[in-house]
Amino acid sequence: MRSPIPTSVVSTDSVRRRSGQFPPVRPGNRLAPEITDRAVAPALPTRLRPADLLRLTDEGAEDVLAGRFDHLLPPGGVWPTAKRWATRILADDEVDVWLISWVPDRSTELHDHAGSLGALTVLSGALSEFRWNGMELRQRTLEAGDQASFPLGWVHDVVRAPDAAAGPVEPGNPTLSVHAYSPPLSAMSYYEVTGHGTLLRTRTVLTDQPEGDVN
């Protein structure tokens, strides 16, 4: 049976070439020995580092492309076009890894990840990220093959990029990304930018959903 992932999805070799950071995946290992044996910095809530999470999203992307999670994908390979969709593809006490499908005009709102570090790999299409840099929101486009990591205190809003970058909105042309959070996501705070150019927290919610409510 043909995988419902579109053929236009970037290969993981392309991801590694564009990131320039990661050696080939070690077969059978989710975390390299040097990660599990490494001393833990007491100031961080997890022994995993941003580079580890980037590696995990890269491996998750490889698994998605290889069809290992086809049983978790939307029925018939028809991707939603009206709302975001997500499925958890890996979970343990240290990390959650999710596959997310994005649609136009359904942003995550400006948020943080509370006590979790995060990372993502874009599989297909493109995302627009709006990040608070302490003075203003800065925008960047993450295209297929791009990766990004989110340290503690990272406040951003994410949405599917315009059609010029992400392609037409069609059930067979999803914008997909793989996200990892460590420790597993448990809460998020939401913010708004005030008229004085400052950041105001508006609410905090308990959630294990990636990048906010996917519905």
Side-chain angles (χ1 to χ4, degrees):
M1 178 178 178
R2 187 173 66 86
S3 172
I5 302 298
T7 56
S8 59
V9 168
V10 66
S11 70
T12 48
D13 286 341
S14 174
V15 170
R16 295 191 183 98
R17 283 196 299 272
R18 293 180 67 165
S19 67
Q21 299 182 53
F22 310 109
V25 175
R26 301 182 182 198
N29 285 344
R30 279 296 174 190
L31 298 178
E34 61 267 22
I35 297 173
T36 56
D37 295 339
R38 187 168 52 204
V40 179
L44 292 176
T46 173
R47 61 179 170 176
L48 304 185
R49 300 297 182 264
D52 304 325
L53 298 182
L54 287 167
R55 184 191 299 276
L56 286 172
T57 62
D58 187 37
E59 293 176 358
E62 183 176 78
D63 288 343
V64 171
L65 292 174
R68 297 187 180 100
F69 299 115
D70 282 1
H71 61 290
L72 299 176
L73 303 186
V78 179
W79 297 89
T81 58
K83 63 181 181 179
R84 285 186 293 141
W85 172 95
T87 187
R88 184 185 278 114
I89 60 175
L90 174 67
D92 59 30
D93 291 340
E94 288 189 312
V95 65
D96 263 354
V97 182
W98 292 80
L99 173 66
I100 304 177
S101 171
W102 301 80
V103 297
D105 304 321
R106 291 295 183 96
S107 77
T108 61
E109 301 183 57
L110 201 59
H111 68 278
D112 64 22
H113 304 114
S116 299
L117 306 180
L120 68 81
T121 293
V122 181
L123 274 179
S124 63
L127 299 175
S128 292
E129 182 195 32
F130 300 86
R131 178 178 68 88
W132 178 252
N133 69 358
M135 297 180 294
E136 61 182 356
L137 291 176
R138 298 295 298 273
Q139 189 269 341
R140 64 174 170 173
T141 299
L142 301 170
E143 300 179 338
D146 288 341
Q147 296 185 301
S149 61
F150 314 122
L152 293 180
W154 192 275
V155 176
H156 69 167
D157 186 6
V158 183
V159 67
R160 183 188 188 273
D163 291 357
V169 181
E170 299 173 349
N173 184 44
T175 289
L176 302 174
S177 55
V178 176
H179 297 239
Y181 304 94
S182 183
L185 196 65
S186 61
M188 294 171 60
S189 290
Y190 290 86
Y191 301 83
E192 63 182 30
V193 179
T194 71
H196 302 289
T198 59
L199 203 60
L200 174 66
R201 183 168 60 190
T202 58
R203 68 189 190 277
T204 298
V205 299
L206 300 179
T207 181
D208 65 352
Q209 294 295 302
E211 299 305 305
D213 186 358
V214 295
N215 294 321

